Amino acid sequence: MFKWFKSGAPWIWLTGGAVSVSLLSVMGLILLIGWKGLSFFWPAPLYQWQNSDGDTLIGQLYAEEDVPISHLREMNIALPKAIEEKGLATRLSIKVANRELYNSDFVSLLAFEVTQVSTPEAWAVIERNRDGDFYGLPIEYRDAKGKSHQDIVAAMKAGLAYADVIRAEVERVINQDIEVVSHQLETLRLQKRRRELNDNLTPEYQAQYQQQLATYTEQLIGFERQVDDLRSELEKQVLVVKDMHGQRVNIALENILDIWFPNQMSGMEKVAHWGKQVWKFLSQPPRESNSEGGVFPAMFGTVLLVLIMSIIVMPLGVVAAIYLHEYARNTLMTRIIRVAVINLAGVPSIVYGVFGLGFFVYTLGGSIDDLFYAERLPAPTFGTPGLLWSALTLAVLTLPVVIVSTEEGLTRIPSSVRHGSLALGATQFETMWRIVLPMASPAIITGLILAIARAAGEVAPLMLVGVVKLASSLPVDGQFPYLHLERKFMHLGFHIYDVGFQTTNIEAARPLVYATSFLLVTVIISLNLTAISIRNNLREKYRTLGQD
């Protein structure tokens, strides 16, 4: 036994076991988050519970838990003998939706109070623009002319197809016509303001300004009237449903996004519906204060932020590492700089956020506004948190990682390679550009991988320098310069924080927290796998460097 310990074999097994446990823990956590998040989009059945008093409750079973009977005795609830002997009672958490009619989305029900459970096939789940889902029994569908249709399902399918066409037209008018006219109005206002600052407001220009203003305003009013007319077409069509208390409720087609009958679905239909809901989650903007809808703006903002940050941090980190390793002498100042770079990697991220807010936003951004956007003041353009300042803040945050990784890669390259290149007549810059940097590229990409892994999940600094709960528009659109770095944006990490901790309905939002968390992990893994693939290709190309 002593020889076995002395040979070092136990430490090998201990190291391998620790790595295996870590991998299993990470994979288990990812699978748990993925299961809880993706199962939210599965069309759960609707149940009908009935108690001994004849009261009916219809909804989806959200969770089951065992509660001690001592808690129930304190509530003066009469318990059956079987429950008394068992010592535990099962409590059902039921999602009843219809939040505009009931006090909450969820109610609790004790299992021993239930006398009958069934799955009514005719009941439907109605996804709405506002107030969440609605669980009800469709009893009538009226079209725009007030005509009632007997085949409710066929009429609803036709109505939803028509609604999709109308919504697409509304979106086109808003995103193209209204946005173009609004941009023209803003440009006209800024031109007038610029002339006011330069004391160049001539009577001829004022007359021209009033004429153009009247033209653009008339166009804007016309487009807004067109949008209202299109939406009113959907408001005329109504689906009449009955809730679990027998109350008739009219739901306008304008407020209906989708409808399905979960108790009538086959297995393949449920899989197709699940895929459709996942796609809507990935491709649509959020609704209801981020507690409903999709996360496309947050996903887009996260990926765009990481890409811009990578473009900024890579040249800065590589140039700094090249200077420290290839050009700077090993003096006291150089050693202090290296220690400072290493220590910067341990600074809390919120400190970088405060630095970004003070230097980038207020100092640098405010100076840019004074020089180039004076006509927009006091409304700031770059003197307010935005995408550019967020990317720069994360670049400063991840800069030490790139510098250290690149310098280690440069250290691995033998000096004989440099000397050989110089002996053949190449300059030091040519040696660096054509020989050293290509051989160090795997280490450089390794630094980028580490930078992406840290930056993509950061939230604290972004809360100060650009991220918002809900962005009115994406940073990319059809207006020049197409990429608007001054705009605020949404981020998956902040979206998770907002949905998980700022919503008033935590039970309804909890599955979205899991789904968004799984999506954030997937985005980070995808970005890292892309960088790893590039690094492996470079490593194969320059095998003389060896393994990094």
Side-chain angles (χ1 to χ4, degrees):
M1 180 65 69
F2 178 75
K3 291 183 178 180
W4 185 59
F5 274 97
K6 191 175 181 180
S7 66
W11 310 118
I12 297 176
W13 282 99
L14 181 62
T15 305
V19 173
S20 301
V21 170
S22 300
L23 289 176
L24 291 175
S25 300
V26 172
M27 292 301 298
L29 179 61
I30 293 176
L31 290 175
L32 175 65
I33 296 174
W35 171 259
K36 287 187 171 293
L38 296 179
S39 61
F40 168 70
F41 305 105
W42 187 260
L46 286 175
Y47 293 98
Q48 177 175 320
W49 292 271
Q50 193 168 7
N51 60 19
S52 57
D53 296 332
D55 297 330
T56 300
L57 188 66
I58 295 180
Q60 293 176 341
L61 182 60
Y62 183 76
E64 295 184 43
E65 62 175 346
D66 292 330
V67 295
I69 61 174
S70 58
H71 295 177
L72 303 179
R73 288 198 187 102
E74 294 176 358
M75 301 170 64
N76 298 323
I77 297 177
L79 302 174
K81 185 177 180 181
I83 300 298
E84 291 277 4
E85 295 175 353
K86 185 179 179 182
L88 294 173
T90 302
R91 181 166 60 192
L92 310 177
S93 178
I94 301 169
K95 181 179 179 181
V96 294
N98 308 9
R99 63 180 61 161
E100 78 277 16
L101 300 179
Y102 313 139
N103 293 329
S104 62
D105 278 352
F106 295 86
V107 297
S108 296
L109 181 67
L110 295 173
F112 65 81
E113 296 178 340
V114 178
T115 59
Q116 184 179 357
V117 181
S118 60
T119 54
E121 293 188 354
W123 282 69
V125 177
I126 304 170
E127 183 182 4
R128 300 183 292 178
N129 267 324
R130 302 179 299 275
D131 300 322
D133 293 341
F134 191 96
Y135 302 157
L137 175 64
I139 56 178
E140 184 184 2
Y141 183 82
R142 296 195 298 267
D143 58 19
K145 298 180 180 179
K147 180 182 177 181
S148 179
H149 292 262
Q150 298 295 331
D151 192 347
I152 299 177
V153 177
M156 272 302 305
K157 288 183 178 179
L160 289 174
Y162 174 72
D164 290 340
V165 174
I166 296 298
R167 291 192 182 101
E169 179 63 17
V170 169
E171 186 176 357
R172 186 199 66 80
V173 174
I174 292 176
N175 294 336
Q176 295 183 16
D177 299 335
I178 292 181
E179 185 174 343
V180 169
V181 175
S182 299
H183 180 72
Q184 291 172 341
L185 279 171
E186 180 65 11
T187 303
L188 185 64
R189 184 188 71 83
L190 293 177
Q191 288 177 351
K192 181 183 177 183
R193 175 62 178 165
R194 195 177 299 115
R195 283 178 171 268
E196 288 178 352
L197 294 176
N198 296 330
D199 294 330
N200 192 23
L201 269 181
T202 62
E204 293 80 6
Y205 175 79
Q206 291 183 358
Q208 182 184 0
Y209 169 79
Q210 293 297 332
Q211 182 180 359
Q212 291 180 338
L213 179 62
T215 302
Y216 292 150
T217 303
E218 184 179 355
Q219 292 178 357
L220 185 61
I221 293 174
F223 290 135
E224 291 176 348
R225 187 181 300 113
Q226 183 180 351
V227 171
D228 293 338
D229 293 341
L230 289 172
R231 288 173 174 170
S232 65
E233 289 293 323
L234 297 181
E235 293 177 354
K236 295 177 183 177
Q237 303 188 42
V238 175
L239 175 66
V240 183
V241 296
K242 184 170 64 174
D243 73 344
M244 62 184 179
H245 299 312
Q247 180 180 355
R248 291 169 62 97
V249 179
N250 295 338
I251 306 178
L253 181 62
E254 189 270 336
N255 194 27
I256 300 177
L257 297 176
D258 198 2
I259 181 171
W260 62 91
F261 298 83
N263 298 336
Q264 298 180 11
M265 286 183 170
S266 63
M268 291 303 299
E269 289 174 338
K270 289 184 177 181
V271 171
H273 178 82
W274 177 85
K276 178 182 177 182
Q277 293 298 108
V278 171
W279 172 247
K280 289 165 65 174
F281 175 71
L282 296 176
S283 60
Q284 292 185 356
R287 308 187 307 270
E288 297 284 322
S289 294
N290 292 341
S291 62
E292 302 282 348
V295 293
F296 176 74
M299 182 174 62
F300 184 86
T302 303
V303 175
L304 183 61
L305 173 68
V306 171
L307 292 178
I308 296 176
M309 180 274 301
S310 302
I311 294 173
I312 295 173
V313 74
M314 286 303 295
L316 293 177
V318 171
V319 169
I322 291 174
Y323 174 77
L324 289 175
H325 189 271
E326 301 292 331
Y327 293 95
R329 296 180 179 179
N330 188 19
T331 61
L332 177 61
M333 180 60 66
T334 306
R335 291 193 291 270
I336 292 175
I337 292 175
R338 284 196 175 94
V339 172
V341 168
I342 295 173
N343 288 335
L344 281 176
V347 175
S349 59
I350 190 65
V351 176
Y352 286 100
V354 174
F355 168 77
L357 181 65
F359 178 72
F360 291 134
V361 178
Y362 292 150
T363 303
L364 190 58
S367 300
I368 292 175
D369 284 349
D370 291 337
L371 291 174
F372 302 104
Y373 299 96
E375 69 276 5
R376 295 177 180 265
L377 295 176
T381 302
F382 282 93
T384 185
L387 178 62
L388 176 62
W389 308 134
S390 298
L392 282 171
T393 301
L394 290 185
V396 174
L397 186 148
T398 56
L399 186 61
V401 177
V402 178
I403 293 176
V404 172
S405 178
T406 303
E407 195 168 3
E408 289 178 356
L410 294 172
T411 304
R412 294 194 191 100
I413 300 176
S415 299
S416 58
V417 174
R418 299 178 177 84
H419 296 161
S421 176
L422 295 173
L424 292 173
T427 64
Q428 187 174 7
F429 176 79
E430 290 174 338
T431 300
M432 180 61 56
W433 182 256
R434 297 181 180 273
I435 305 297
V436 177
L437 275 183
M439 295 179 66
S441 56
I444 297 173
I445 301 300
T446 299
L448 176 62
I449 294 170
L450 297 175
I452 291 174
R454 181 176 184 188
E458 286 291 347
V459 178
L462 299 181
M463 295 170 65
L464 300 176
V465 291
V467 73
V468 291
K469 174 187 177 72
L470 186 63
S472 57
S473 58
L474 294 176
V476 177
D477 59 19
Q479 300 293 333
F480 182 83
Y482 311 115
L483 176 60
H484 302 274
L485 298 177
E486 77 281 2
R487 289 184 182 175
K488 295 177 175 61
F489 65 100
M490 297 181 65
H491 188 274
L492 286 173
F494 185 77
H495 188 79
I496 294 170
Y497 163 76
D498 179 70
V499 174
F501 299 97
Q502 301 298 313
T503 182
T504 56
N505 195 347
I506 184 61
E507 289 296 332
R510 184 181 300 171
L512 285 178
V513 174
Y514 284 111
T516 310
S517 301
F518 182 71
L519 177 61
L520 177 59
V521 172
T522 304
V523 168
I524 295 174
I525 291 175
S526 300
L527 292 171
N528 285 337
L529 288 178
T530 302
I532 289 172
S533 177
I534 297 173
R535 182 187 64 181
N536 291 340
N537 291 334
L538 294 173
R539 183 175 289 168
E540 290 296 324
K541 186 175 180 180
Y542 304 103
R543 295 186 65 86
T544 56
L545 180 60
Q547 297 296 323
D548 290 314

